[in-house]
Amino acid sequence: MSRQENPKRKTTPKQIAALVCVVLLVGMYIGAFIVACLDLGDSGRLFAGCLVATIGMPILLWLLIWSIELMKKSSPDSDDSENASHSP
């Protein structure tokens, strides 16, 4: 069976956040490459920053998405308990 793709597929906030992370990383790599080619100085530190960001940015993005999901899951529960205590 072939799987047909829906042309009106909705883009999720997770996909948008991941795309922003990829664009930031690629932009940083391009900037580091330009600095290294033009010998504008401190290209070694910029390269080290790129390596740290390559590991750090996806981890921070995962933590952000994870914490937002936790807040979404806990917010209806807290609203229900508040409404229950205010009912006559």
Side-chain angles (χ1 to χ4, degrees):
M1 287 182 138
S2 66
R3 186 175 142 193
Q4 294 180 352
E5 300 215 10
N6 187 359
K8 295 181 180 180
R9 198 176 101 202
K10 183 179 177 186
T11 305
T12 64
K14 286 182 185 180
Q15 290 173 331
I16 294 171
L19 186 62
V20 167
C21 186
V22 168
V23 168
L24 287 173
L25 285 171
V26 169
M28 188 174 48
Y29 297 145
I30 291 171
F33 181 74
I34 291 171
V35 168
C37 288
L38 297 178
D39 196 23
L40 297 175
D42 262 358
S43 59
R45 285 182 58 187
L46 187 57
F47 178 72
C50 286
L51 290 177
V52 170
T54 300
I55 297 168
M57 284 180 71
I59 291 172
L60 289 174
L61 177 66
W62 179 82
L63 287 172
L64 177 68
I65 291 171
W66 178 68
S67 63
I68 289 173
E69 286 178 358
L70 282 179
M71 287 189 297
K72 281 183 181 178
K73 287 180 183 177
S74 67
S75 65
D77 296 337
S78 63
D79 289 344
D80 291 341
S81 63
E82 289 176 5
N83 291 338
S85 64
H86 293 306
S87 58

